Amino acid sequence: MPAIHPDALIFDVDGTLADTEEAHRTAFNLAFEQQGLGWKWSRADYRRLLTTTGGKERIARHIGTLDLTDAERAGLLARLPQIHAAKTRFYSAVVRDGAVPLRPGVARLLDEAGHAGCRLAIASTTTAINVDALLHATLGARALERFAVIACGDQVAAKKPAPDIYLLALEHLGVRADRAIAFEDSLNGLRAARAAGLWTVITPTFWTEDSDFADADLVLPQLGDAASPLPDEPGTRLRHRAWLGFDELCRLAGGEAHPADAALR
Ligand code: XBP
Ligand code: MG
């Protein structure tokens, strides 16, 4: 099959554009301390809680595990927006200060796609405040102008793994699912993108690497670039370079066999 030239690349944010979840975890714990809740999520706690997308939903899940009276539980759930707003203030401040860089190869692929006339979009569960803070800190003052659509947070009622945020992004882009490619880091994100009909690239992080990504169209440890080339590439999953270039992405999404497939013939 010939390479396809996608009309849009749609990026998840947390874990995909940048490895943000340790900063999120720290912000949750700072908010819990400020609010006098006496909670502290360890890395192991947070890794487990991350299977629930959405910070508010994650806090609600935690409240559900506590031994509380109905009145105590209702009181905490009523405070949830305030707790999450405090967390967002802590998180966005840290990210705005530049504490969280883009993952290797992200800036390169955004540039390559832009130069090829391919539109860019975001489909994230996190809040718009957090997306703005990360994009401005990593891509500069005009970062948001580079994305034709930014779909995020509570713009949809059903968060990932539901496809809603990707369907919203596709609708606002005016692009068919088979003309777009999704980039994700988690199983919930993969399920959302695949349910929306997108060809999906997965670049896991520490927080998500134990998941089963068998349904993904391409799994790489990261997008890579000349400064941080992918080990064993080109050759295992990539044919041309030790990082995922826009041109090779088009060939793979268009059905070019992987070298491993070719070896099987
Ligand atoms: C990952 C999430 C978010 C973040 C926390 O979003 O599930 O909930 O963990 O951010 P993405 P909030 O879809 O970008 O991977 O507290 O703002 O939800
Ligand atoms: Mg993610």
Side-chain angles (χ1 to χ4, degrees), residues 31-32 34-37 56 59 75-90:
F32 299 158
Q34 182 195 67
Q35 299 283 317
L37 292 164
K56 293 191 291 293
I59 296 170
L76 283 173
L77 291 173
R79 290 177 57 192
L80 215 162
Q82 167 192 337
I83 298 166
H84 190 251
K87 176 264 175 182
T88 299
R89 283 193 296 274
F90 282 118

Side-chain angles (χ1 to χ4, degrees), residues 12 14-16 184-185:
D12 162 57
D14 294 303
T16 301
E184 274 285 353
D185 70 302

Side-chain angles (χ1 to χ4, degrees), residues 4-12 109-110 112-114 116-123 146-150 166 168-183 197-201 246 249-250 253:
I4 67 161
H5 187 293
D7 293 335
L9 302 187
I10 306 179
F11 290 85
D12 162 57
L109 188 61
L110 294 177
E112 289 178 14
C118 178
R119 286 192 290 163
L120 303 172
I122 296 281
R146 298 182 59 180
F147 295 86
V149 169
I150 295 180
Y166 277 101
L168 183 69
L170 290 169
E171 179 191 346
H172 288 181
L173 282 163
V175 166
R176 292 195 340 241
D178 63 357
R179 302 291 308 163
I181 296 173
F183 294 81
L198 283 86
W199 202 89
T200 302
V201 179
F246 181 74
L249 172 65
C250 294

